[in-house]
Each structure stands twice: as C-alpha cells, then as structure tokens.
Amino acid sequence: MKDSSGVSLRELPSPGFPIQKIFWKVLAGLLHLGNVHFADSEDEAQPCRLMDGTKVSARTSATLLQLSENMLLETMQIRTIKAGKQQQVFRKPCSRAECDTRRDCLAKLIYARLFDWLVSVINSSICADSNSWTAFIGLLDVYGFESFPDNSLEQLCINYANEKLQQHFVAHYLKAQQEEYAIEGLEWSFVNYQDNQTCLDLLEGSPISICSLINEECRLNRPSSAAQLQTRIESALAGKPCLGPNKLSREPSFVVVHFAGPVRYHTEGLVEKNKDPVPPELTGLLQQSQDPLLMMLFPANPEEKTQEELSGQSRAPALTVVSKFKASLEQLLQVLHSTTPHYIRCIKPNSQSQPQTFLQEEVLSQLEACGLVETIHISAAGFPIRVSHQNFVERYKLLRRLRLRTSSGLWGLCSAKGPSEQPLCAKEATLQPLLQDILHALPALIQTATTPSDSAETTQVPLYCGRTKIFMTDSMLELLECGRAQMLEQCARCIQCGWRRHRLQKQEKQRRAAVLIQAAIRSWLTRKHIRRLHIAATAIKRTWRKWRIRMAYLASKELDGMEDKPMPQAPSSLSSSLSPAHTKLLEAIIHLWPMGLVLANSAVGARGFQRKLVAHACLRLPTGNPSNNVQTPQQDQAGITSIRALPQGSIKFHCRKSPLQYADICPEPSASSVTGFNQILLERHRPVQV
C-alpha cells in the first residue's frame, strides 16, 4: 500500500522512533531555508553569491536537513542540463530569480512530500477495514471565492473549484426539493435559475477552454509571453459569454465572469506556475540526506526514472498543476455524488477581526461569493418553510380557539401554486384531529389579519399540507407566529388576572386572620393585666388592713398604759410665791409647750388639716359637735390627760409617709379625716379645760 507520493506505508517508523522531534526539525529547516537570499554576481559566468546576512540561515538549514552545505548551495545556484543522445551534462549558473525559484521549489517539494505522508499516516491509523463499515462522515472545507487586485493561477484554480461545487450544490438542492415535493404529493414546477454551466464550459470545456490552452502552452517547447497567451485566449474563446472584455487593463490579462462576479486574471507567469517543474538535481540532493524522515520520503532507488526522462522517452504530456487539480476535483465530486451532503455557510463580518462589527459591503460580497443569493431565489420560488405534522401541532395548537363557528370546512385553503379548486390536504382522512382543527382555524386567522379590501385575496392560503409535512411561505409563517403570539398574550392575561385575584383574596384572608389574632392577643393581654392588678390590689388591701389593725392595737395599748399613771402636781410653794401675772404666764407656757414641740418636730408631710388638729389638741379647743365636749371631774387645771401633754424622753410626731405603697390612703376616705398613723393617735378627742 502506497500513498500519493509513492512512499510505502509499511516503511513507517516504529512507535519508539522519535518521529515528532524529527518532524519539527525538518519544518525548522524549511523555515531557515526561506531566509536564504541571493545577490547577483559581477561576472555572469559565475554563480550568484549569498548575501552576508543569510549565510547563517543556509548553514542552519543544511544542518537540520542533514545535508552538505556546499551541495545545498551548489544545487540552488547551478543548473544541470542534459542534451544530445549521449546525455551530455552541462552546468549553467542561474540568475538571481532562478536561484530564488529553485529555493522555493526545494522547500515546496519537501513540504508536499511531508504533507502527503502525514495525511497517509493519519488515515491509516484512524481508518478501519473497509469490510467492517458501510458509512462514513467526512468534513470538507470548501474554498472561498477569491478576487484580488492581482489574480494568477492560484485564484483561477480556487474559483474553478467554487464553480464546480456551486453547480453540485444547486443541482443537489433542486433535486432534493423536487424529490421531497413528489414524496409529499405537492405539484410544483421549478422556476428558471441562473446556471453556471457556461462558465464551466469556458474553464474546462472541450475541445478548447482556458485550462486546455494553458496546458498546451506548457507542452510546447518554446518561450511563451504573457501578451501572446492573452491574444490566444481572446481569439480562441471570443464567442464565450462568460469571457469578459479587457480593454482598460494595461497589463496582459483576461476576465472571467463567475457566478459571484467578474475576476481579472493576469497572464504574467501563468505558464511557468502551471509547469511547476522539479529539477532532478533537487530530488537527487534530498536522496543524499541522512535524516531518517527525508530518507523515507525520498528513497534512493536507481531503477526509478525522473519525470523528464519518462516524458522524453514516451513523448507523453507532462502533468501540470491544472491537470492535477482537475483530477483531484473530479475525485472529490465523485465522493460528493455518492454521499448525502449538508452545507454550512460561514460569513466573516469584517476583515479586521473586530467584535460587534458588521460591514455590509463585505457581508454582501461574501453572500454572493458563497452563492447564497441564488439559493435564496430558488428557495423563495417554492415553499421554504417545512414543518412536520407533530411539530406543527405542538407549536400552533393554540390557534384552535380562533376557529369560526361555521361549517365552512377547508374553504380557501389550497396550494399556493395550484388551482383554487384544489383542497389544501390531499388526504384529509389521514390528518390528526388537532391538525384539522388548526387548518380550519386558518381562514379565521387570515380574516382577522386582513382588511375588508383584501377579502378577495383570502380565498387562497399559501400553505400546503403534505403527507408528513406542512409547506408554507414566509408570509404564512409570519401570520401563524402573529396569531400564536396573540393567543399567548390572551392566555398570559388570563393567568395574570387569575393570579392577581388569587393574590388579593389571599392577602384579604391574611389581613382578616391577622386582625383576629391581634384582637385575641390584645384581649388576652388585657385580661392578664387586669388579673395582675386585681391580685396586686387584693394584696395591698390585705397588707393595709393588717397594718392598720396592728397600729391601732399598738396605739391603744400605749394610750391605756399612760392613762393609768398619775399626773404630777405643780408645787404649791412655787405658785404662792409668784405674782398673778407671772402665774398666768407660766400657766400659758405650760399649756402651750406641746404646740411648739409639735411644730418644731413635725415632718414635711404634716401640714394643712393635720396641723390644725394638732393645734386644737394642744390648745385644748373643742372639735366636732359641742355635745361631745364633756368635762370630767377628775381633770384639774394643772395637768393634761393625753400622752402628748407629758413628754417623757425623746418624742417625735408621727406625720411621715408610710413605706408601704398606698398605706396612707383609706379605702373609704372622707373629706375631714386624717389618714395614717396620725389618725390612730388623734382618733380619741377629749375635751381639755384651760
């Protein structure tokens, strides 16, 4: 088994072989080889010399590729020519341009062999036996349409591939549409579309085309100029419609009108690029390399003959770049025709790679280059929207509510391209009930969306019901989406009304419950507070009554003990020796000293009515009713029967406030009563004789 480069896959290195390291080393040698530059020599008979700054790059490249530096430079600077029957060898120094061309050819040769070998290795490692699989999934990166100010053979090949792929895409798309419409029972004829077969005939047609003329110029053993190639193309292909005029260009060129637009191709260097010759001395140089990878890619087989030797002996035409590209493209199209392709179009919004930036001119040019504009025209001519029955019912089942209350059936629902008598559904019996209800609701939806002036146009609906799918236009899809949005809005309003009503009812219930809970808590707190007050008042009353009874008992006991003691009598000698005036003064002092004692020792709280009672008691004035002033014969002028008249030790008038709360307040107070301990001391009023 061999790849396209002729390298046997059995000669691949073992897993222990450091293939990656050698692979990177060869690529590094190619990069250094690209830095080698030449300068013209003073003598034309001498080869070109290396520039001073590139000698290090040449030495590094030779080291990485494991080649001799002198042989590498000699191969790029000197051309070997074999002539005559005896194959005499002549050595000719190359010009500066030829040296650069041979350098690039050497790099491209190594890179091409390396790329083909790498693809073969990857395919052989991931590909299974062809007998063990029946299907595969392939990814194809399609060439982008190219149009630059200076277009050459590279752009011609790429745009030629785009023309072939665009033709395959249009044919596949139209064929797939026609098959799908036939399966679904839809009668629809394709519209005329722009076919690019004329452009393909210009590029690859037989017997004369642009590619054939370029290949013929390469086979002729004569020097070819750009102007001569232009004249030949214009004269041979003058009647082709896709060959545009070229009157304003000063350089030799020709114009091809592609499906994406006209492109101008310059003929300068076109034939040389198409030849792409590989000098045999470059292949011989690479066969002398000591690198394991290059030795495998360029085996030294003396039995193999070069391309020039084979072409010289058999007189067969040499393979050109256009021929190789055309063969590869035909092989690709065979694979595409045998598979089911799916297309993904990528659009570049701007050439500066900036986010959120869309340049309209660049996007439109890419859409035209990808053929999407033509695809849109083809798709718009039929029914671009296709939905299965299940998806259609799931999305638009809300529209059943718009069904009119009439027995009109499916009036007005017919094919967009068929006659008006044709019903919408070819097999109505096979439709689901929900789908039938939705289709019945479509006239009502159209009637609500159109004005009375357009009522005549509502007899047809741009919608067709196939066996498994629903076909419709963009306008019908927009109408269905609008009706669905209205129904969703009505449902949302109903849900919002129900939710708001439920929320208000819930809030009202919560408010009522909160009021009941607050009332119950307040009632309980009030009852608890009243109960505490009642208990406190009961305790105060009980304590007050105990204290009052105890104080009354102590006061009565003290008064009873003092009344039993005999009163001291004033000495008769003192009264007899004093004058009557002094005697009256002394009696007044004796009678009035309790009042001074009371006033001097009275507390701050003893004022008002209490002081009045004290003064009455000290002065022995009658209080209350006169009938209560009864004199006792046992009292005489020299003594006082109350305990206040006989001070013994330290005497303090008890007018201070009780330490108990509310102790000085009588449960049933009167206007002229004295509360507290003073009431106990003064509750017995006896008349005093002065």
Side-chain angles (χ1 to χ4, degrees), residues 191-267:
V191 297
N192 296 327
Y193 64 94
Q194 182 182 0
D195 191 8
N196 61 342
Q197 185 60 41
T198 56
C199 184
L200 290 175
D201 293 339
L202 175 65
L203 294 175
E204 62 172 4
S206 179
I208 301 176
S209 62
I210 293 178
C211 293
S212 63
L213 292 176
I214 295 176
N215 290 332
E216 186 177 355
E217 286 292 331
C218 294
R219 287 193 298 267
L220 295 176
N221 191 11
R222 65 179 184 181
S224 176
S225 62
Q228 184 179 357
L229 179 61
Q230 176 189 358
T231 304
R232 188 175 182 185
I233 290 176
E234 290 179 352
S235 60
L237 303 173
K240 298 292 182 179
C242 290
L243 185 65
N246 186 24
K247 299 180 180 180
L248 300 179
S249 178
R250 297 181 179 179
E251 299 179 357
S253 61
F254 60 93
V255 178
V256 177
V257 181
H258 294 278
F259 71 95
V263 180
R264 185 183 305 276
Y265 299 98
H266 295 276
T267 57

Side-chain angles (χ1 to χ4, degrees), residues 73 90 98 102 145 156 180 184 236 426 452 455 540 547 549 666:
L73 295 177
F90 298 93
E98 292 178 348
R102 294 171 72 87
F145 191 85
L156 180 63
E180 186 175 9
E184 295 292 334
S455 59
I540 292 172
W547 182 82
I549 294 172
C666 182

Side-chain angles (χ1 to χ4, degrees), residues 47 64 67 169 200 230 300 381 397 407 409 419 426 523 529 584 590 597 647 658:
L64 292 174
L67 296 171
F169 169 74
L200 290 175
Q230 176 189 358
K397 59 185 177 181
S407 58
S523 175
H529 182 64
K584 292 181 179 180
I590 293 172
L597 181 61
S658 174

Side-chain angles (χ1 to χ4, degrees), residues 329-506:
L329 186 59
E330 291 295 336
Q331 184 180 2
L332 173 63
L333 290 176
Q334 291 179 3
V335 176
L336 292 178
H337 284 298
S338 62
T339 57
T340 304
H342 300 274
Y343 297 89
I344 300 176
R345 302 292 188 179
C346 300
I347 303 299
K348 190 176 181 181
N350 58 82
S351 58
Q352 291 79 20
S353 300
Q354 295 180 358
Q356 303 296 330
T357 303
F358 293 88
L359 300 180
Q360 183 178 0
E361 294 79 6
E362 295 186 7
V363 172
L364 289 178
S365 63
Q366 292 180 67
L367 291 176
E368 294 175 354
C370 293
L372 290 181
V373 177
E374 193 67 27
T375 305
I376 292 172
H377 290 319
I378 298 174
S379 179
F383 296 98
I385 310 300
R386 305 161 191 178
V387 187
S388 63
H389 288 175
Q390 182 179 359
N391 296 336
F392 185 81
V393 170
E394 290 179 356
R395 183 165 184 83
Y396 301 110
K397 59 185 177 181
L398 293 175
L399 300 179
R400 293 180 299 164
R401 302 182 180 183
L402 296 176
R403 181 177 179 180
L404 293 177
R405 298 180 179 178
T406 58
S407 58
S408 59
L410 294 179
W411 69 273
L413 297 178
C414 60
S415 175
K417 297 297 181 181
S420 59
E421 296 83 4
Q422 182 181 0
L424 176 63
C425 296
K427 295 183 179 180
E428 184 178 349
T430 61
L431 295 178
Q432 303 175 4
L434 294 178
L435 182 60
Q436 294 179 4
D437 294 341
I438 296 174
L439 296 179
H440 279 291
L442 292 182
L445 179 63
I446 297 177
Q447 185 176 0
T448 56
T450 56
T451 58
S453 60
D454 301 334
S455 59
E457 300 178 359
T458 60
T459 57
Q460 292 185 357
V461 178
L463 186 144
Y464 190 94
C465 180
R467 294 185 177 92
T468 60
K469 294 181 180 179
I470 299 292
F471 296 84
M472 68 185 80
T473 59
D474 294 335
S475 60
M476 190 63 197
L477 178 63
E478 184 178 358
L479 186 62
L480 290 174
E481 290 294 332
C482 182
R484 182 175 179 270
Q486 293 178 0
M487 296 305 301
L488 289 176
E489 184 178 0
Q490 294 179 5
C491 295
R493 289 179 180 176
C494 293
I495 294 174
Q496 289 178 356
C497 293
W499 165 249
R500 289 170 181 172
R501 180 171 59 253
H502 168 72
R503 187 178 59 182
L504 292 177
Q505 291 177 356
K506 184 178 180 180

